[in-house]
Amino acid sequence: AELGPRNEYGHTKLAGEQAVLEAVRSGQIDAVVARAFKHAGPRQSTQLIPAEWAARLSHDRVIKVRSPESRIDLTDARDVVVAYRLLLEFGHCGEIYNVGSETSVRCGDLAQQLATLAGATVEQGDQAPSPEPVANIDKLVALTGWRPRIPLEQTLRDTLDYYC
C-alpha cells in the first residue's frame, strides 16, 4: 500500500527508513528495514495498550477505552523479537519487511478480553475510530517461514500477570 503517515510519529519513522535506505544505497551500511506493527506483551511500556490497561487493573477494576471501534494489527512482542532475529540472519540488505499478525482486532474487543481475564469491566468512550493498516507479511513469510505463534489470549494473560 502507498505510504501515508498521519502524524509526526509516522513522518519520523518514514524519514528514518529513508535515511537507512540511503545509507545502504551509498554503501555505508548493511541493513534491512522492519516495519513492526503494534505489538504487546509483559514488561512493555505502560504508554502502550494493552500494557496500559493491565497496569491500570492492578489498582482499578475498570478499563477505559477511548475509541472502542478502532482496529489494530497486534502481535506478541516475543514473536516480533523472533522476526527481528530472522531478519538479521536472512534479510536482504536494503529490503523492507512488515512484521505483524495479518489480523485486525477491535480495541473494544481487546479491552473486553483483558477485562474478562481480570474479572473487571470496560467503559467504552465514543471517540471516532482511527483506521490502522493490517500487515501484509507475505515477504517475511516467504523469506523466513516466520508467523506469529503466541495467541492473543496468551499475550493478554501474560501481560496481565506481569502487571497484576
Side-chain angles (χ1 to χ4, degrees):
E2 187 175 322
L3 299 177
R6 293 186 312 267
N7 55 38
E8 286 305 309
Y9 177 78
H11 285 286
T12 61
K13 294 299 248 182
L14 182 57
E17 275 186 20
Q18 291 169 341
V20 166
L21 294 174
E22 181 55 38
V24 167
R25 282 190 288 279
S26 69
Q28 296 173 344
I29 62 171
D30 290 334
V32 299
V33 172
R35 286 187 184 145
F37 285 62
K38 303 248 190 266
H39 44 282
R43 293 180 291 285
Q44 186 179 40
S45 166
T46 57
Q47 295 177 337
L48 304 168
I49 62 169
E52 173 192 342
W53 295 335
R56 182 172 293 144
L57 288 172
S58 69
H59 58 79
D60 190 0
R61 303 311 302 160
V62 178
I63 297 174
K64 296 175 183 170
V65 183
R66 292 180 292 276
S67 186
E69 295 303 319
S70 288
R71 302 184 74 83
I72 58 174
D73 180 322
L74 187 68
T75 307
D76 192 287
R78 295 163 289 191
D79 280 330
V80 172
V81 169
V82 172
Y84 289 167
R85 183 187 56 75
L86 290 169
L87 286 173
L88 284 170
E89 203 171 326
F90 301 109
H92 298 290
C93 184
E95 292 290 315
I96 299 170
Y97 301 90
N98 291 333
V99 180
S101 71
E102 290 189 305
T103 304
S104 175
V105 62
R106 186 179 156 274
C107 288
D109 295 339
L110 181 66
Q112 187 56 59
Q113 286 181 44
L114 191 60
T116 298
L117 289 170
T121 59
V122 176
E123 287 181 8
Q124 298 193 13
D126 58 2
Q127 188 174 359
S130 59
E132 290 286 338
V134 174
N136 177 337
I137 61 171
D138 292 347
K139 187 174 177 180
L140 176 60
V141 171
L143 178 70
T144 66
W146 177 88
R147 288 201 176 276
R149 304 261 187 255
I150 301 172
L152 180 58
E153 184 175 343
Q154 182 179 344
T155 301
L156 297 177
R157 183 177 308 283
D158 293 348
T159 302
L160 186 62
D161 287 349
Y162 177 76
Y163 285 103
C164 295

